[in-house]
């Protein structure tokens, strides 16, 4: 009898440990640490924009959902509704500038708004895709 | 003579483009939020990188939404949304192409809040449905803020909810649109 109680107790304990691990590491797992995540691709802003322009479907397969590091000359800094966006304008379309738009992490905003258009910078961010005008990177951070 | 005609044509073209752009408003930082209220849990996701353009002379109104730009509170929900429900690897964009149908009742040159009727094609997951919704345009010193709240039925866009999580996700989700449009100046 005592042996069975011991077995059931051990199984219950294993169950609780597994349930706790599943809760914390699967159901309630945290978002990636974008600021410290290593980029999977390194390229110029021009090269990234050109690959989406040439074949958006193919580029989406490569880059969407990946951390990409891009470098280039900063065109503008937008700061609206508490959201800072750094822009590499690479073309002109029906709705104005088109290029790479990097929406910065909140923790990076204070540093990002001090950047000046015209300076060379390197940023990284999570690629959400191409919307027919711009390639959009989210959770952006300044590399240098 | 030919040179003068060419210069005159170029000036006319510039004026024409200018007058057209004066009628166009746009944003690349529009917000769309969706909210699902279900017995087991409420789920909210926000996208703040929505492209939108409005032509106040014709009423043409368009949206372009990157599905991967929706942010969820829980990382797992975000994964399921992209991988299982909207399949954003296959359909990275959602879009709306339509018109403001009561343009004559809105004075975009005068500050105020105006009711708007909007009709058009909503495309999610590659499926297009006609929608007709109400919203408001708030005109304030040359800027236009558009707002709307409406319901979307997931099954209309082939978004299937597995039985195991049927109590976690509503069949109809509430969509909130909030965009601040600025005049297009190029």
């Amino acid at each position: 009898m005592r042996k069975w109680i011991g077995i059931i107790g051990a199984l219950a304990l294993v169950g609780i440990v597994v349930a706790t691990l599943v809760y914390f590491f699967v159901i309630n797992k945290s978002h990636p640490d974008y600021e410290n995540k290593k980029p999977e691709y390194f390229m110029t802003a021009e090269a990234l924009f050109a690959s989406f322009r040439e074949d958006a479907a193919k580029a989406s397969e490569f880059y969407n959902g990946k951390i990409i590091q891009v470098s280039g000359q900063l065109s503008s800094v937008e700061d609206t509704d508490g959201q800072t966006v750094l822009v590499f304008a690479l073309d002109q379309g029906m709705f104005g500038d088109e290029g790479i738009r990097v929406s910065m992490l909140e923790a990076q905003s204070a540093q990002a708004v001090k950047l000046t258009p015209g300076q060379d910078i390197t940023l990284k961010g999570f690629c959400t895709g191409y919307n027919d005008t711009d390639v959009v990177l989210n959770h952006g951070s300044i590399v240098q | 003579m030919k040179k003068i005609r060419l210069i005159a044509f170029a000036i006319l073209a510039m004026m024409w483009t200018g007058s057209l752009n004066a009628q166009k408003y746009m944003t690349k930082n529009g917000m769309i939020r969706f909210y699902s209220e279900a017995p087991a849990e409420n789920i909210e996701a926000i996208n703040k990188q929505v492209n939108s353009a409005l032509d106040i002379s014709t009423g043409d109104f368009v949206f372009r939404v990157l599905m991967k730009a929706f942010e969820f509170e829980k990382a797992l929900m975000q994964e399921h949304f992209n991988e299982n429900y909207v399949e954003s690897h296959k359909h990275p964009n959602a879009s709306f192409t339509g018109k403001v149908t009561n343009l004559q009742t809105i004075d975009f040159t005068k500050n105020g809040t105006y009711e708007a009727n909007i009709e058009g094609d909503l495309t999610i997951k590659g499926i297009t449905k006609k929608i007709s919704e109400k919203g408001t345009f708030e005109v304030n010193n040359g800027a236009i803020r558009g707002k709307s709240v409406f319901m979307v039925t997931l099954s209309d866009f082939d978004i299937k909810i597995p039985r195991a999580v049927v109590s976690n996700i509503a069949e109809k989700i509430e969509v909130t649109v909030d965009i601040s449009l600025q005049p297009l100046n190029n």
Side-chain angles (χ1 to χ4, degrees):
Chain A
M1 185 64 183
R2 193 174 281 179
K3 188 181 167 191
W4 280 109
I5 291 170
I7 291 169
I8 291 165
L11 285 174
L13 193 66
V14 169
I16 290 166
V17 170
V18 169
T20 308
L21 291 174
V22 166
Y23 180 77
F24 283 109
F25 293 104
V26 181
I27 296 171
N28 219 20
K29 68 176 179 177
S30 56
H31 284 280
D33 177 4
Y34 293 103
E35 202 167 353
N36 292 311
K37 219 173 166 193
K38 253 185 153 178
E40 287 181 57
Y41 295 97
F42 300 80
M43 56 182 59
T44 62
E46 286 88 352
L48 179 63
F49 188 58
S51 45
F52 274 95
R53 273 288 173 84
E54 279 161 26
D55 189 340
K58 197 175 163 191
S60 295
E61 279 177 33
F62 270 109
Y63 302 120
N64 287 4
K66 307 278 169 51
I67 301 286
I68 302 173
Q69 182 168 309
V70 287
S71 49
Q73 194 177 61
L74 182 67
S75 305
S76 60
V77 180
E78 296 175 10
D79 191 29
T80 46
D81 297 331
Q83 187 183 210
T84 307
V85 181
L86 301 184
V87 182
F88 296 100
L90 302 166
D91 200 2
Q92 279 286 311
M94 196 187 287
F95 299 110
D97 289 341
E98 297 183 352
I100 312 281
R101 294 176 62 81
V102 187
S103 182
M104 303 302 285
L105 284 164
E106 214 176 314
Q108 292 270 325
S109 284
Q111 201 184 339
V113 292
K114 289 179 192 159
L115 296 170
T116 48
Q119 75 179 93
D120 290 323
I121 52 163
T122 301
L123 307 171
K124 65 175 179 177
F126 174 83
C127 183
T128 62
Y130 176 62
N131 54 23
D132 289 343
T133 59
D134 302 281
V135 178
V136 178
L137 305 184
N138 271 3
H139 310 292
S141 53
I142 299 164
V143 178
Q144 63 179 42
Chain B
M1 185 64 189
K2 199 176 171 187
K3 204 174 177 182
I4 294 169
R5 279 206 339 243
L6 268 173
I7 292 167
F9 177 78
I11 292 168
L12 271 174
M14 279 162 69
M15 285 168 66
W16 174 241
T17 312
S19 73
L20 279 180
N21 281 348
Q23 308 294 310
K24 285 178 184 155
Y25 288 73
M26 66 158 302
T27 183
K28 290 184 176 183
N29 297 318
M31 191 281 289
I32 289 186
R33 163 192 183 259
F34 74 72
Y35 180 68
S36 155
E37 193 175 311
E41 63 182 331
N42 298 331
I43 299 170
E44 181 188 55
I46 294 177
N47 182 336
K48 290 182 177 176
Q49 281 91 39
V50 175
N51 272 17
S52 177
L54 168 70
D55 187 328
I56 61 168
S57 63
T58 61
D60 288 338
F61 200 21
V62 294
F63 282 88
R64 196 84 172 157
V65 185
L66 286 166
M67 300 310 273
K68 272 196 187 290
F70 277 102
E71 299 284 333
F72 289 69
E73 185 195 345
K74 289 183 181 170
L76 187 67
M77 283 177 187
Q78 199 162 315
E79 269 178 34
H80 284 171
F81 171 79
N82 283 302
E83 289 166 16
N84 307 331
Y85 301 139
V86 297
E87 297 179 293
S88 59
H89 54 290
K90 287 187 200 163
H91 311 285
N93 284 284
S95 64
F96 172 80
T97 308
K99 266 187 181 295
V100 180
T101 58
N102 63 329
L103 214 52
Q104 68 286 354
T105 65
I106 304 170
D107 186 351
F108 286 107
T109 62
K110 195 176 163 188
N111 285 358
T113 302
Y114 303 89
E115 296 285 327
N117 300 328
I118 296 145
E119 286 180 17
D121 296 326
L122 178 65
T123 303
I124 301 172
K125 212 181 163 186
I127 295 169
T128 302
K129 295 278 173 191
K130 292 253 178 244
I131 62 164
S132 176
E133 303 295 343
K134 289 193 182 299
T136 58
F137 284 120
E138 194 181 310
V139 179
N140 187 14
N141 299 329
I144 300 169
R145 187 166 184 182
K147 288 183 184 178
S148 182
V149 180
F150 58 94
M151 302 301 287
V152 166
T153 304
L154 296 183
S155 58
D156 283 351
F157 297 95
D158 194 31
I159 298 170
K160 294 176 186 121
I161 309 299
R163 275 195 183 169
V165 291
V166 82
S167 63
N168 297 61
I169 302 166
E171 288 174 18
K172 284 185 176 192
I173 59 159
E174 182 187 87
V175 178
T176 303
V177 179
D178 189 345
I179 48 163
S180 293
L181 299 154
Q182 300 293 330
L184 182 62
N185 292 320
N186 70 335

